Amino acid sequence: MTYSAADTRYDNATFRRSGHSGLKLPQFSLGLWQNFGENRNFETQREIILRAFDLGITHFDLANRYGPPFRAAEKVFGQVLGRDLGRYRDEILIASKAGNPIGASPYLKGGSRKTLLDSLDISLRDLGVDHVDIFYSHSPDLETPLEETIGALASAVQQGKTHYIGISNYTAERAHDAAVIAARLGTPLLVHQSRYSIFDRTVELDGHLDTAAQDGTGVVAFSPLAQGLLTDKYLQGDVPADSRAASSAFLSADDISDDYITRAGFLNKIAESRGQSLPQLALQWVLRRPEVTTALIGASSTAQLEHNLAATDFPELTDDDLARIDEYGIHGTVLRRKK
């Protein structure tokens, strides 16, 4: 069946300007980190992507690492783009990343010019496009000069293979240095993607949000639901067989501790008192900060997607709400080192 986007797709969509740039991103973006590999049903994946676009999500976040296997998510999105979304390409923002390891070769990891630019060429092939809209250094490479990494991103802009550049998982200090280099090269740093949730407030504590605001860089918040910990999935202490805690390298059954259950349980009661769910509260909490341009959400179904997008339909969080959240949303709860 031929797909036609909903005429109402922008009726309730909200966009935020990214830093000092001219680009606006939807307040929610769809991340294809999980659920878009070869181990999932393609038609379900296609349905989620198309429903997201129909609901005003124009920004799709990808990386060469996303799968499994690596690069599978970009191939999935490329199929949907070629089959359904191609005629809306001018309304869509595609983001890709490189730098996290995808193989044993020294050229399949890190921030060298070869790694980044060769990976981008393969991503463009897999996506079936001549450019992406945002290209990221996926993680800092302390063995490669920062000037080389940011210079490679700037080259991608000059070659017409991306419109904007970004970084992910950098410290506040290194992000500032990257922004200075990017500005000198004439390709301002558009976004810094960082993990941010009620249980992980690192970006607040290390000055990252302040630095981004000063440098004119937008912030893309990933894992705003803390890998599912800020949902009702584990509130009873159970670990469903199909959950991330049962199978993910980023979460384990041991993480569902008594402290976590107590804290998440009280946060859930706060959400219920406002007439919303825990994930809706968590998403609204992340978006309360003006430095945050967009919150990246994943989805395993269209129902889950629609539920999470309703997060901002509720009244703004009051000072009393925020104080109560701070009491139980303790930084460091099930916090693991980034991988």
Side-chain angles (χ1 to χ4, degrees), residues 309-332:
L309 290 182
T312 52
D313 291 346
F314 297 89
E316 291 186 6
L317 295 166
T318 66
D319 289 342
D320 181 60
D321 290 330
L322 294 173
R324 292 168 65 205
I325 291 170
D326 286 346
E327 186 176 353
Y328 300 105
I330 298 172
H331 171 70

Side-chain angles (χ1 to χ4, degrees), residues 129-204:
V129 297
D130 61 3
H131 73 279
V132 294
D133 298 281
I134 307 170
F135 184 51
Y136 286 86
S137 163
H138 203 164
S139 60
D141 175 4
L142 302 184
E143 296 181 349
T144 297
L146 187 58
E147 289 80 2
E148 179 177 344
T149 297
I150 303 304
L153 299 181
S155 291
V157 174
Q158 294 159 5
Q159 294 168 11
K161 295 178 181 179
T162 187
H163 291 321
Y164 300 95
I165 63 173
I167 55 174
S168 181
N169 296 308
Y170 280 50
T171 64
E173 181 179 5
R174 195 168 182 83
H176 171 69
D177 292 343
V180 170
I181 295 169
R184 186 171 68 239
L185 294 174
T187 53
L189 194 64
L190 179 78
V191 281
H192 184 181
Q193 188 171 135
S194 294
R195 191 168 60 186
Y196 185 34
S197 74
I198 289 174
F199 285 156
D200 184 353
R201 308 183 184 209
T202 303
V203 296
E204 295 178 0

Side-chain angles (χ1 to χ4, degrees), residues 30-40 45 48 61-63 65-68 73 222-223 226-228 242-245 247-251 297-301 304:
L30 183 64
L32 281 73
W33 176 19
Q34 304 189 52
N35 300 313
F36 290 88
E38 291 180 0
N39 58 339
R40 303 280 178 161
Q45 296 168 334
I48 293 168
D61 183 77
L62 295 147
R65 188 173 169 85
Y66 297 170
F222 75 85
S223 291
Q227 292 290 301
D242 61 347
S243 68
R244 292 184 187 178
S247 59
S248 173
F250 299 91
L251 201 62
I297 57 173
S300 59
S301 68
Q304 184 184 69

Side-chain angles (χ1 to χ4, degrees), residues 40-220:
R40 303 280 178 161
N41 178 269
F42 173 75
E43 288 304 323
T44 299
Q45 296 168 334
R46 173 178 175 264
E47 184 181 347
I48 293 168
I49 292 169
L50 297 183
R51 184 59 178 153
F53 188 62
D54 281 342
L55 292 173
I57 291 182
T58 57
H59 177 212
F60 298 89
D61 183 77
L62 295 147
N64 62 358
R65 188 173 169 85
Y66 297 170
F70 297 143
R71 294 196 175 279
E74 293 190 328
K75 292 177 182 177
V76 167
F77 191 80
Q79 289 182 61
V80 177
L81 191 66
R83 175 175 168 179
D84 304 292
L85 291 175
R87 62 193 175 113
Y88 303 103
R89 177 64 181 96
D90 57 345
E91 298 180 41
I92 293 172
L93 293 165
I94 302 173
S96 184
K97 312 180 196 73
N100 274 359
I102 59 170
S105 167
Y107 313 125
L108 298 179
K109 66 187 76 172
S112 73
R113 184 178 182 86
K114 176 173 176 59
T115 294
L116 296 179
L117 295 181
D118 283 1
S119 179
L120 177 56
D121 283 341
I122 297 172
S123 292
L124 295 178
R125 180 200 67 192
D126 290 345
L127 289 163
V129 297
D130 61 3
H131 73 279
V132 294
D133 298 281
I134 307 170
F135 184 51
Y136 286 86
S137 163
H138 203 164
S139 60
D141 175 4
L142 302 184
E143 296 181 349
T144 297
L146 187 58
E147 289 80 2
E148 179 177 344
T149 297
I150 303 304
L153 299 181
S155 291
V157 174
Q158 294 159 5
Q159 294 168 11
K161 295 178 181 179
T162 187
H163 291 321
Y164 300 95
I165 63 173
I167 55 174
S168 181
N169 296 308
Y170 280 50
T171 64
E173 181 179 5
R174 195 168 182 83
H176 171 69
D177 292 343
V180 170
I181 295 169
R184 186 171 68 239
L185 294 174
T187 53
L189 194 64
L190 179 78
V191 281
H192 184 181
Q193 188 171 135
S194 294
R195 191 168 60 186
Y196 185 34
S197 74
I198 289 174
F199 285 156
D200 184 353
R201 308 183 184 209
T202 303
V203 296
E204 295 178 0
L205 300 175
D206 73 354
H208 166 66
L209 295 181
D210 294 336
T211 298
Q214 293 167 7
D215 290 336
T217 302
V219 174
V220 176

Side-chain angles (χ1 to χ4, degrees), residues 245-283:
S247 59
S248 173
F250 299 91
L251 201 62
S252 76
D254 293 337
D255 293 325
I256 311 305
S257 64
D258 290 341
D259 280 345
Y260 159 72
I261 293 169
T262 298
R263 294 168 186 174
F266 275 107
L267 290 171
N268 188 58
K269 290 179 180 178
I270 295 171
E272 289 178 340
S273 72
R274 290 172 44 81
Q276 61 188 156
S277 69
L278 178 53
Q280 289 171 336
L281 175 75
L283 290 168

Side-chain angles (χ1 to χ4, degrees), residues 286-308:
V286 164
L287 288 170
R288 85 198 189 285
R289 293 291 302 234
E291 301 94 339
V292 173
T293 305
T294 186
L296 276 182
I297 57 173
S300 59
S301 68
T302 55
Q304 184 184 69
L305 174 72
E306 292 167 3
H307 179 82
N308 289 342

